[in-house]
Amino acid sequence: MSTCIGTVTAGLLATGAALAAPEAHKGGQGSDIAMGAYLDYGPSGIARIPSLSRWLGGKEIRVGHTYLPGDRWAGIEGNVGFLEDWAEWRQAKDDRMFVLNVPLQERNEERVPDRQVARLIRAGAEGAYDHHFRKLAERLVELGVPDTVIVLGWEMNGTTYTHRCAPDPENWKAYWRRVVKAMRSVPGQEFRFDFAPNRGKDAIGWTECYPGDDVVDIVGMDSYDQDPGRSFDDQVSQPYGLQQHVDFAKAHGKGISYPEWGLFRRGDNPEYVRRMLKWIEQHRPIYHTITDYCPHGVWQCKTNPQSSKVFRDALTPDRPGPVTPTPVIPTPVIPTPVVPTPVVPTPVVPTPQIPTPQIPKPEVPTPSPVVPSPAVPAPVSPSPAVPSPAVPSPAVPAPVSPSPAAPSPAVPSPEAPAPVSPAPVEPGPAVPSPAVPSPEVPAPVSPAPVDTPVPVPVPVPSPESPAPSASPSASPSTKPSPKPSPVAPKPDPAPTTPLPPPVNSKQWCMPLNFGEWLSKLIGAQSLCVKFDWGKDSGFWPF
């Protein structure tokens, strides 16, 4: 009965192991699991990390892993120079992790017998070695690596090390608890303690050595390619194997790790490497580090070429494959017929020439030396008086200067001029008066003997075209000296039409027909009105 139960149990474990081993994806590739390798305990191991990264196609090595020497307490206290080098490497990047294996006893690999190991375990449980671990914690905090992962008393379920558990499991757990309490008492520490047994039962089932959830942060496991178990499936399903390790950590709410794994008893075994990487990828440990020296390694150890290739192919980051150029098939070029576009001449629209308005410039008449012709007034109606046969002397009208006041209309007298002998007359400047001027009748003057009567033209301002700027008081600069002609003018009894006033004249005359008796009464036959057309009058049109 018991044999059947054992057979069924083994079958169930094997079935679970087979289901738990994924085959669908590439282990480790592109994952964010912290990966590392033990390459050497000191500075040479640090120097090899970049070379391993290049060998893996640039994969980042985030875990640095080393061991404290377990021969003397001084080494366990951290009094070794290479800790400074590892601390400097850890501080270079925030996402790096420093894993440090710490022995629980000195002379850790001297094959101390079980009876003596039991005495050392009891001493540790009583607190005899607390001060050594307190010094180690102070050293790590001082170096700036207070978050170091401490793999304390690793592979305690085996037979190799003095810090093994089997000689006294209960005191061993008490001893672990005292060490963790001593190290956590140091100010500034952030340590994580990794409980990492060997895979399988070995000397004792490792669950019997578990010290408690309050003093364990990570449940790890060292797993090499060796017995117990002939295949990787055996390593998964065996008691205290890989599957039980994952289940135990999950039951206690802890993360897992694989501080040590690699080849061993079966030589170059690529299947083991492939399956181990897939297991890691599936269960996502906090970190894993392969032990890379012979006979375990895949990079520094050249005796495992097939395993080396599997490891490298699995962890090398994905790279874009070679780009195969797509053959370019030339497209036949069909010439497009060019249809000439008719050139339509653009009509030239003449730009309209807008004439620039010419502002008329007022012409100022310049006085010219013109001798005025004598104006002979003609009677509107024939007078009953018969004119004397004597020749009248021509009357030269004096120039009328413009006055701002409108003068009264000057009406010539209707009386006939008395016969006088022709004599030279000097016209004087006429001063405008507001009163109506009387017609001037030249007095009879006896003719003076003249040797040669030559008329000399004298510049006299014309009363018909006065200059706009002429002042009312202006007078001719020279006095005219007219010489009478020897021939007396013959009066024309016919009525004459008064001359029209010049353009822009300041005087306007209109002929009037008042009848014979009224014409005699007022003594004039025309009415003249004077206007001020000056520029300042507001009526200047030019």
Side-chain angles (χ1 to χ4, degrees), residues 163-433:
H163 62 221
R164 59 189 181 268
C165 169
D168 192 346
E170 294 301 320
N171 280 320
W172 190 94
K173 290 186 285 187
Y175 182 24
W176 171 286
R177 298 180 64 85
R178 291 198 65 97
V179 170
V180 172
K181 183 178 179 180
M183 294 189 70
R184 285 180 174 172
S185 67
V186 175
Q189 64 82 31
E190 300 174 8
F191 305 122
R192 285 184 290 177
F193 293 91
D194 190 342
F195 175 80
N198 208 4
R199 176 180 54 80
K201 184 177 180 180
D202 213 344
I204 189 176
W206 49 264
T207 57
E208 297 181 37
C209 303
Y210 185 72
D213 293 340
D214 59 331
V215 290
V216 173
D217 299 294
I218 304 171
V219 176
M221 178 166 282
D222 291 352
S223 181
Y224 290 92
D225 183 25
Q226 62 176 357
D227 291 334
R230 297 293 303 172
S231 66
F232 189 81
D233 289 335
D234 292 343
Q235 297 174 16
V236 170
S237 61
Q238 65 188 202
Y240 306 103
L242 293 174
Q243 187 63 53
Q244 189 174 350
H245 164 241
V246 170
D247 295 341
F248 182 88
K250 184 177 181 180
H252 291 263
K254 306 297 180 181
I256 63 173
S257 71
Y258 297 99
E260 298 182 23
W261 70 275
L263 301 168
F264 195 16
R265 304 293 184 184
R266 300 184 179 96
D268 187 7
N269 187 353
E271 180 63 17
Y272 162 79
V273 174
R274 182 181 298 107
R275 294 289 301 275
M276 187 65 186
L277 288 174
K278 288 180 179 179
W279 180 266
I280 290 171
E281 183 68 17
Q282 178 185 2
H283 295 285
R284 317 289 295 174
I286 295 174
Y287 73 93
H288 71 99
T289 53
I290 187 171
T291 302
D292 196 69
Y293 61 85
C294 286
H296 312 298
V298 292
W299 177 53
Q300 295 186 101
C301 184
K302 306 303 179 185
T303 60
N304 303 313
Q306 297 182 59
S307 299
S308 176
K309 184 178 185 305
V310 169
F311 184 88
R312 187 179 187 184
D313 290 344
L315 293 180
T316 297
D318 290 330
R319 296 179 179 177
V323 178
T324 305
T326 303
V328 179
I329 301 174
T331 304
V333 179
I334 302 174
T336 305
V338 179
V339 179
T341 305
V343 179
V344 180
T346 304
V348 178
V349 180
T351 305
Q353 300 294 331
I354 303 175
T356 305
Q358 301 293 332
I359 301 174
K361 185 176 183 183
E363 296 182 1
V364 180
T366 305
S368 60
V370 179
V371 179
S373 301
V376 181
V380 177
S381 59
S383 176
V386 178
S388 176
V391 178
S393 176
V396 180
V400 181
S401 300
S403 173
S408 302
V411 181
S413 176
E415 296 180 0
V420 292
S421 302
V425 180
E426 282 186 1
V431 179
S433 173

